[in-house]
Amino acid sequence: MNQSPNFIEQGISQQHLKTVSCVNVLTLAYQSLGVIYGDLSTSPLYVYKTTFSGKLSLKEDDEEIFGVFSFIFWTFTLIALFKYVFIVLSADDNGEGGTFALYSLLCRYAKLSILPNHQEMDEKLSTYATGSPGETRQSAVVKSFFEKHPKSQKFLLIFVLLGTCMAIGDSVLTPTISVLSAVSGVKLKIPELHENYVVIISCVILVAIFSVQRYGTHRVAFIFAPISTAWLLSISSIGVYNTIKWNPRIVSALSPVYMYKFLRSTGVEGWVSLGGVVLSITGVETMFADLGHFSSLSIKVAFSFFVYPCLILAYMGEAAFLSKNHEDIQRSFYKAIPEPVFWPVFIVATFAAVIGSQAVISATFSIISQCCALDCFPRVKIIHTSSKIHGQIYIPEVNWMLMCLCLAVTIGLRDTNMIGHAYGLAVTSVMLVTTCLMALVMTIVWKQRAITVLAFLVCFGSIELLYFSACAYKIPEGGWIPILLSLTFMAVMYIWNYGTTKKHEFDVENKVSIDRIISLGPSIGMVRVPGIGLVYTNLVTGVPAVFGHFVTNLPAFHRILVFVCVKSVQVPYIGEEERFVISRVGPKEYGMFRSVVRYGYRDVPREMYDFENRLVAAIVEFVETEPGTEEEEGERSNVRRKKEECMEIMEAKEAGVAYILGQSYAKAKQSSSVLKKLAVNVVFAFMSTNCRGTDVVLNVPHTSLLEVGMVYYV
């Protein structure tokens, strides 16, 4: 029986699509090696060194080293592979990952929005989908709890900010420990080299890393994947070599029995040493945070079939070497490298440390950008470093701040063991936050049964709590660093969010009626002048108090008046076709419009964005498609009126566009507490004065800018 040509063509086409899809997945998986896994793949440089930095020592029966490797294997398998790759990577927000993605999902499904100017029309966005309307008893109970207890919503925000601030702390500690560990290997070949020179070389490399950030990762990213691939292949090959040469019996340590033996024989010292073991999974959060740059499938393929086996072989080989070379515990990684390949591996290790640093620095830029969009961080300069890849940005202020902190930690501590203690606490804190948020996502978004959510919490939460307790024990020995950093960043974020929220509440309470302003026109001699006036406001309804303040002091405003509200919505991206929402303010003869300009938390307004022309085009389109009223006589007169109004708008644009911005100053009320006065009058006022102004963020030309000052009391 002959098949029809159409059927054959269709079969070939489907086969071709499958081939293309596989090629795309493999290509993305290869590229992800150079962006996502830099931090994770450099962990072997310092894991064993940090684990055995305390009172824990190696004995002749090798039970300690077998137990540590068993812990590393099962931690890597349960947390990195099962939790993150198989479960957490599936909790994406329209392809985006990270702490804010989980929080965004919860805000939409449980209506926990922290953004005060939320509108029902935002829920009609194509990226705002909230799935099936069906509710389970568990999800309904959790939603009801958040609705009845508004303070719990604020607590959830603080909890998310804690995880975010600990992730920023990671970006200070990752470059420091990676570079310092890589460079310290040179002392094996040049023993007389003083420690000060190692620190100086590390600082030079760190300065170089942060200095090239302004050029963007896309300019050097093409060499990242080959270097990461070469690094993983080299350490896994050396791992196989060391396993065969020194102790093939190390394979038996894959049994979890050795973990029990390790804790039984070492007691408290073994428990404390787990703070070093957890460093083996540093970077797993980066996999989730950078999900938006790749696909979930490509990350799973890269980790499961390449990164995971390579790192397990590397740790196994180093454990086999240590079992026969106890005296080399504090320099085991470089000592385990065969002599003929030492220098090539050392060079690749240094480059791999740079790549690992690059990954977390880029992730921090993304986190700060999201915090700015959600009113949780002062406005900073955000530069697009790539015209093709949207997510590649550079924030100068944050970049130099991170560099100074990295140099301070490197020069101040100098010891990778102390830095490792700090690093471990930051990593475990972020993982615990993710586990708790995932439990809420599984309940509210995925609508899983309570037993499933409980099993997830108990299984992974108990493991992470074990590691967190071990890291917390090391707070006096370096663990205080991420706590101090995170508390500082949290204070900045919370005070900024508090100040901006109070400002919005003030605007809502003091908004004025447009009819009242128009009615005052004759008494104050109000006139309309040619041109378009853009009044920027945080309000999506009503007229801001700043405009009433403006017209009562200067009774004239433009022929066409547009109240512009630039706001963020808790979705990652919003397409250009859904960005502008235009409506009228008052009757048509007033010539007043409102434009709500919506951005997602991963959207960043571009520097050269032609906002003025796009806004006018959106208003003209609104007028042309606006339905007529019953008072208007006939379709022809309606069309003529629309044409006349469109011509009036275009003529007003030719006459000039003026930008009216409100410059608000916050002050605490006299009855406020001393702490509140300090937060508002000093900290928030300092940040407001020194952050980027609204006119700079919106690219307002200074020749067309008119600022109106107001003071509001909170």
Side-chain angles (χ1 to χ4, degrees), residues 343-558:
W343 286 110
V345 172
F346 173 78
I347 294 170
V348 175
T350 305
F351 278 112
V354 171
I355 293 171
S357 305
Q358 178 63 56
V360 293
I361 294 169
S362 299
T364 302
F365 292 158
S366 179
I367 288 171
I368 295 296
S369 173
Q370 294 172 31
C371 289
C372 290
L374 298 177
D375 288 336
C376 291
F377 200 82
R379 295 180 296 271
V380 290
K381 184 178 183 180
I382 299 175
I383 300 172
H384 288 267
T385 58
S386 173
S387 58
K388 297 179 180 178
I389 304 174
H390 180 86
Q392 291 189 358
I393 57 176
Y394 167 64
I395 305 177
E397 297 97 323
V398 176
N399 183 65
W400 302 124
M401 178 191 65
L402 289 178
M403 186 190 76
C404 292
L405 290 173
C406 284
L407 293 177
V409 173
T410 304
I411 297 170
L413 296 185
R414 298 176 174 230
D415 182 9
T416 54
N417 291 331
M418 286 190 70
I419 300 172
H421 300 153
Y423 199 12
L425 188 63
V427 169
T428 51
S429 300
V430 177
M431 289 193 299
L432 275 170
V433 170
T434 300
T435 299
C436 295
L437 291 178
M438 271 302 303
L440 288 174
V441 168
M442 292 173 72
T443 303
I444 297 174
V445 181
W446 292 355
K447 297 179 174 57
Q448 295 292 318
R449 292 183 300 173
I451 188 68
T452 306
V453 178
L454 186 63
F456 175 85
L457 268 177
V458 171
C459 178
F460 299 113
S462 58
I463 297 172
E464 290 162 2
L465 278 174
L466 175 67
Y467 284 122
F468 180 81
S469 62
C471 293
Y473 187 83
K474 295 285 188 178
I475 287 177
E477 300 176 29
W480 56 270
I481 295 175
I483 294 177
L484 180 63
L485 287 173
S486 63
L487 288 178
T488 304
F489 279 110
M490 272 193 70
V492 169
M493 290 181 177
Y494 189 79
I495 290 172
W496 183 261
N497 178 259
Y498 176 82
T500 51
T501 301
K502 290 299 180 182
K503 179 182 182 300
H504 184 269
E505 290 176 1
F506 174 85
D507 288 339
V508 171
E509 291 171 1
N510 294 276
K511 62 184 179 181
V512 295
S513 166
I514 192 64
D515 292 328
R516 181 171 179 273
I517 291 176
I518 295 296
S519 65
L520 286 174
S523 62
I524 61 176
M526 189 182 299
V527 295
R528 304 291 289 268
V529 297
I532 297 178
L534 303 183
V535 182
Y536 282 88
T537 172
N538 291 323
L539 300 176
V540 292
T541 59
V543 177
V546 68
F547 181 69
H549 185 60
F550 168 70
V551 295
T552 52
N553 288 275
L554 184 64
F557 56 93
H558 297 81

Side-chain angles (χ1 to χ4, degrees), residues 45-46 49 173-187 195-203 205-206 209 334 346 349-350 353-354 357 406 409-420:
L45 287 168
Y46 44 79
K49 181 177 183 294
L173 299 170
T174 297
T176 304
I177 193 170
S178 299
V179 172
L180 196 57
S181 298
V183 173
S184 62
V186 77
K187 291 185 70 175
E195 182 187 1
N196 288 344
Y197 291 105
V198 174
V199 173
I200 291 171
I201 294 170
S202 299
C203 289
I205 294 175
L206 286 171
I209 291 172
Y334 282 111
F346 173 78
T350 305
V354 171
S357 305
C406 284
V409 173
T410 304
I411 297 170
L413 296 185
R414 298 176 174 230
D415 182 9
T416 54
N417 291 331
M418 286 190 70
I419 300 172

Side-chain angles (χ1 to χ4, degrees), residues 12-25:
I12 294 173
S13 175
Q14 289 177 350
Q15 188 175 1
H16 175 68
L17 284 173
K18 288 181 180 179
T19 305
V20 171
S21 178
C22 290
V23 170
N24 287 341
V25 169

